[in-house]
Amino acid sequence: MCFLDIAKSRYTTKKYDPNGKIADEIIEKLKEILRLSPSSINSQPWKFTFISDVKTKSELSKVSFHNEEKVNDASHIVVFSVIGNVEDFENRNLSRLPERSGSYYNRMVKPKGEAGIKSWLSCQVYISLGFFLSACASMGIDSTPMEGVETDAYDRILQQDEYKTLFAVAIGYRDKEDANQPSITPKFRLEKERVIRTFSLNKQG
């Protein structure tokens, strides 16, 4: 299947088959795909936590707002976290990168101050999200990105100190009655003319 067909068929799953478990070898591939995610200057300020344990998923479900059923029924929950301390990032990640990468960071990112740096670091984790959702779709795995979670509670349950939860993704296999699948509810996107601009040699569109 070409990627355009995958983009047309992929959707945000609302209801999972609780018996649909993802095979261990596929999970290992997804872990490696996340490890290989791109990021600005190869900064990699992230941590990815895969959870299939029923008890832990149940705890997380209680602090996942309207996503409770998805967290319980999905095969796995993947928690995307960002390094929480700017100094830790600079000492652990930045120090291992080529000089030109450090130069870019010091010239373009660091002057934004702590809040600006943390925003930039979080953006890198969101890049990995797009990479991950596309990979899942290409492997026939359904997914649900979830910002509707209590991030501080996730950190407490997962005993995270140095990294901070940004969002989670449920992965598994859809319930055949899931009403959000495109065969039941057609996918809605804005018209191409409203979201795509093209600059060519002789024409602006």
Side-chain angles (χ1 to χ4, degrees):
M1 183 184 293
C2 75
F3 195 82
L4 179 56
D5 290 333
I6 291 172
K8 289 177 178 178
S9 61
R10 191 224 158 256
Y11 77 105
T12 296
T13 303
K14 300 297 186 183
K15 187 174 178 59
Y16 284 89
D17 175 0
N19 297 312
K21 303 304 179 185
I22 302 174
D24 290 344
E25 58 267 27
I26 295 177
I27 292 296
E28 291 306 310
K29 289 181 181 179
L30 288 173
K31 290 177 181 178
E32 182 65 3
I33 287 168
L34 275 176
R35 189 183 71 85
L36 295 170
S37 294
S39 59
S40 179
I41 65 168
N42 200 21
S43 51
Q44 305 177 67
W46 46 49
K47 185 82 73 176
F48 308 109
T49 305
F50 283 70
I51 302 140
S52 59
D53 174 64
V54 173
K55 182 177 181 295
T56 306
K57 286 201 301 172
S58 178
E59 289 184 61
L60 294 173
S61 75
K62 294 178 175 60
V63 290
S64 298
F65 302 116
H66 61 281
N67 293 305
E68 182 173 358
E69 183 179 14
K70 303 180 193 74
V71 173
N72 278 320
D73 290 347
S75 174
H76 290 67
I77 302 301
V78 185
V79 177
F80 288 62
S81 304
V82 65
I83 195 166
N85 184 282
V86 171
E87 186 176 354
D88 285 347
F89 167 75
E90 293 175 350
N91 291 337
R92 297 180 192 175
N93 294 42
L94 195 64
S95 64
R96 301 174 64 181
L97 299 178
E99 182 179 349
R100 65 181 181 277
S101 298
S103 176
Y104 171 87
Y105 173 84
N106 289 321
R107 186 176 71 255
M108 303 299 293
V109 182
K110 194 162 186 175
K112 297 178 180 181
E114 183 175 3
I117 295 170
K118 287 186 174 181
S119 175
W120 179 80
L121 293 172
S122 295
C123 285
Q124 310 317 311
V125 184
Y126 275 88
I127 292 173
S128 73
L129 170 63
F131 203 61
F132 183 69
L133 295 180
S134 298
C136 286
S138 74
M139 299 166 73
I141 297 168
D142 294 309
S143 61
T144 308
M146 302 178 296
E147 288 187 301
V149 301
E150 295 183 38
T151 55
D152 289 343
Y154 265 53
D155 289 338
R156 174 178 52 77
I157 292 168
L158 299 176
Q159 299 179 3
Q160 290 199 132
D161 293 321
E162 297 178 352
Y163 288 80
K164 302 300 180 183
T165 298
L166 286 178
F167 53 86
V169 179
I171 57 174
Y173 300 103
R174 71 189 72 171
D175 185 292
K176 64 180 181 180
E177 303 298 331
D178 182 12
N180 205 44
Q181 54 191 309
S183 61
I184 298 175
T185 303
K187 180 178 287 194
F188 167 75
R189 293 294 187 273
L190 294 172
E191 297 83 359
K192 182 169 62 175
E193 293 73 22
R194 293 188 60 182
V195 297
I196 305 295
R197 298 180 68 200
T198 302
F199 282 78
S200 58
L201 284 176
N202 300 313
K203 182 179 178 181
Q204 176 182 342

